[in-house]
Amino acid sequence: MILIIGAEASGKREFAKKLGYTEDDFTTDPFDGKRVVYGVQSILFADHTRTQELYDALVDKDVVICNEVGSGVIPVERNVRLGREAAGRLCVLLEVPARSVHRSQILHCRS
């Protein structure tokens, strides 16, 4: 499995496409048969208790893409804080079995 993390709209999906995956390989549902799962953080924001269940589903995927959500202002809403924490913990767990981990960054901004 390849883990790709990074900020929103930082080119994570485009990077996965450069690895040879097509749009047909992508899904937001970790429980279907597609090889590339993105938006994992959204699942945990909806229910932060699913970390182990998601880990079990994601560990055998080809590519897992997750937004980096642990920086910036700490949210006031408890559920958002718990979802953010769960997303970070899941990425840490996925780093262990991952063949490689890539952090996508925005390299330039246009004004």
Side-chain angles (χ1 to χ4, degrees), residues 5 8 16 55 65 75:
I5 59 173
E8 178 82 24
Y55 175 84
I65 301 172

Side-chain angles (χ1 to χ4, degrees), residues 44 51 55 82-95:
L44 290 168
T51 304
Y55 175 84
L82 292 172
R84 181 171 134 158
E85 176 73 17
R89 289 186 186 278
L90 178 61
C91 286
V92 169
L93 291 172
L94 288 171
E95 288 174 5

Side-chain angles (χ1 to χ4, degrees), residues 30-91:
F31 303 101
D32 74 15
K34 296 200 176 186
R35 304 180 319 168
V36 180
V37 179
Y38 69 94
V40 173
Q41 75 287 340
S42 298
I43 299 166
L44 290 168
F45 275 42
D47 181 359
H48 68 274
T49 65
R50 297 181 67 189
T51 304
Q52 186 62 51
E53 175 188 6
L54 288 174
Y55 175 84
D56 293 340
L58 295 171
V59 74
D60 292 325
K61 296 292 181 179
D62 288 2
V63 178
V64 175
I65 301 172
C66 186
N67 284 358
E68 190 173 7
V69 294
S71 59
V73 177
I74 297 172
V76 173
E77 299 84 15
R78 182 174 191 272
N79 286 339
V80 176
R81 285 194 315 271
L82 292 172
R84 181 171 134 158
E85 176 73 17
R89 289 186 186 278
L90 178 61
C91 286

Side-chain angles (χ1 to χ4, degrees), residues 21 26 28 32 52 74 78 87-88 92 98 100 103-104 109-110:
Y21 297 97
F26 286 76
T28 57
D32 74 15
Q52 186 62 51
I74 297 172
R78 182 174 191 272
V92 169
S100 62
R103 184 172 185 270
S104 181
C109 295
R110 294 183 184 198

